[in-house]
């Protein structure tokens, strides 16, 4: 038996499965998530399965959304959350090659989830050797943060050296990963945050400039004006080649559409400020490409290209061009606190849960 975080119902849905109209009626995540100690340990079921002993597992904003029932994928209840795991190989199927028991690895479980548990079962195609010179805690959110960022920059945005990228929500996991990867690719980056208190994170990640867009139309306008000046100073008077948008909401029309250059691309990664309609006439006048950015489908249909992208990211990390972080580390006993960071919009950087302490010695793990 093993420990696992479990979700038993969706916090934002009523008894018939409809989203509650009033957000104040959402159940607290603490009331739908539990920390359990007697969950059956997964076993090898297919010849390409790999069992991983979890050292660290990631928690990010989509995990909180998923537990509320507001994410695009609703797993069957009850379920164990968690897309990302960093740990060591415990057991492999008889058709797995290139991995050995004891290897330090990172892995993702994009459909089955389940990474917030002592032992995780994943397909060998979703497992990667961890760089020896990086602590596993710093690698526990590669899928949630870096995969989404690199997919936006490389696959959708096709950025090249010298381009200008604007990323909003830049103090969060995806935002900071976008800054780090873009700088490693030789790209100039302007980072946007909602408040002055969030500016240090994107500065530390290497952004060329950090601007505050606030939360209303007047501050959005000030942000737009400041962006215009800074982008010109950086040699891009027409605006950003690529905008990586994890916020959407009113900011999209108030500012972002003015920040992208003609024929530039806006990658829609998320909507932490809610969803607002996009007016086709505005897109037409701006001549902008607006593309939804979900790496999962592309990865399934292009497995070799996806593996190449992941290995490129890991090389950036191994060489120090990208320095992954573990900004907040929670024990298993405090893991629901990690979800609450995102429930109450207090998530910053990379948040992980430490499974290396508190294991029951009788579990034989």
């Amino acid at each position: 038996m093993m420990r696992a975080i479990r979700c038993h119902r969706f916090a934002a849905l009523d008894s018939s499965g409809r989203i509650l109209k009033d957000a104040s009626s959402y159940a607290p995540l603490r009331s739908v998530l539990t920390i359990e100690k007697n969950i059956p340990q997964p076993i090898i079921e297919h010849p390409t399965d790999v069992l991983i002993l979890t050292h660290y597992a990631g928690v990010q904003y989509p995990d909180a959304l998923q537990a509320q029932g507001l994410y695009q994928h609703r797993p069957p209840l009850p379920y164990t959350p968690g897309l990302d795991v960093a740990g060591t190989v415990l057991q492999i199927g008889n058709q797995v090659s290139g991995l050995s028991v004891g290897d330090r690895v990172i892995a993702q479980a994009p459909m089955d989830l389940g990474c917030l548990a002592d032992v995780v079962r994943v397909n060998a195609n979703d497992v990667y050797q961890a760089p020896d010179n990086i602590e596993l805690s710093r690698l526990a959110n590669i899928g949630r943060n870096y995969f989404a960022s690199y997919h936006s920059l490389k696959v959708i945005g096709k950025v090249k050296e010298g381009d200008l990228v604007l990323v909003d929500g830049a103090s969060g996991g995806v935002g900071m990963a976008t800054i780090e990867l873009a700088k490693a690719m030789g790209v100039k980056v302007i980072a946007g945050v909602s408040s002055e208190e969030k500016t240090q994170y994107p500065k530390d990640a290497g952004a060329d400039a950090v601007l505050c867009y606030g939360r209303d139309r007047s501050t959005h306008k000030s942000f737009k004006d400041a962006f215009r000046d800074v982008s010109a100073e950086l040699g891009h008077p027409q605006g950003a080649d690529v905008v990586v948008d994890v916020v959407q909401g009113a900011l999209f029309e108030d500012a972002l559409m003015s920040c992208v250059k003609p024929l530039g691309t806006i990658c829609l990664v998320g909507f932490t400020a809610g969803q607002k309609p996009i007016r086709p006439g505005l897109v037409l006048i701006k001549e902008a490409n607006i593309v939804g950015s979900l790496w999962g489908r592309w990865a399934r249909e292009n497995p070799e290209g996806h593996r190449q992208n992941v290995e490129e990211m890991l090389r950036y990390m191994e060489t120090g061009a990208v320095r992954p972080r573990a900004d907040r580390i929670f024990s298993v006993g405090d893991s629901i606190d990690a979800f609450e960071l995102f429930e109450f919009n207090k998530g910053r950087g990379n948040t992980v849960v430490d499974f290396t302490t508190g294991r029951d010695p009788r579990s034989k793990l």
Side-chain angles (χ1 to χ4, degrees), residues 29-30 33 59-65 68 141 198 201 327-330 334-353:
L29 286 181
R30 188 168 291 276
L33 296 169
V59 177
Q60 290 297 129
Y61 184 66
D63 297 297
L65 276 182
Q68 290 176 317
N141 263 317
K198 299 179 180 180
Y201 281 98
D327 297 291
R328 304 191 189 190
I329 301 178
F330 291 83
D334 292 330
S335 57
I336 296 175
D337 293 350
F339 281 82
E340 289 182 329
L341 286 179
F342 300 97
E343 181 181 18
F344 301 122
N345 195 31
K346 295 180 180 180
R348 307 286 183 271
N350 188 25
T351 302
V352 300
V353 176

Side-chain angles (χ1 to χ4, degrees), residues 13-34:
L13 305 188
D14 64 19
S15 57
S16 64
R18 291 190 295 260
I19 296 175
L20 294 164
K21 293 182 179 180
D22 185 358
S24 65
S25 300
Y26 296 175
L29 286 181
R30 188 168 291 276
S31 71
V32 304
L33 296 169
T34 57

Side-chain angles (χ1 to χ4, degrees), residues 24 33 45 49 86 119 122 131 150-151 156 207 231 292 302 350-351:
S24 65
L33 296 169
E45 294 184 350
D49 282 349
V119 177
V122 294
Y150 207 49
H151 183 71
I156 297 176
S231 62
N302 301 273
N350 188 25
T351 302

Side-chain angles (χ1 to χ4, degrees), residues 207-255:
D208 294 278
V210 182
L211 305 175
C212 181
Y213 46 77
R215 301 183 185 278
D216 58 45
R217 179 164 290 182
S218 65
T219 57
H220 291 171
K221 182 182 185 303
S222 298
F223 169 79
K224 179 174 62 176
D225 294 341
F227 173 85
R228 186 179 296 115
D229 293 339
V230 174
S231 62
E233 292 172 5
L234 293 173
H236 291 266
Q238 285 193 305
D241 297 277
V242 174
V243 176
V244 179
D245 178 20
V246 301
V247 174
Q248 221 269 324
L251 180 68
F252 186 90
E253 183 168 318
D254 287 350

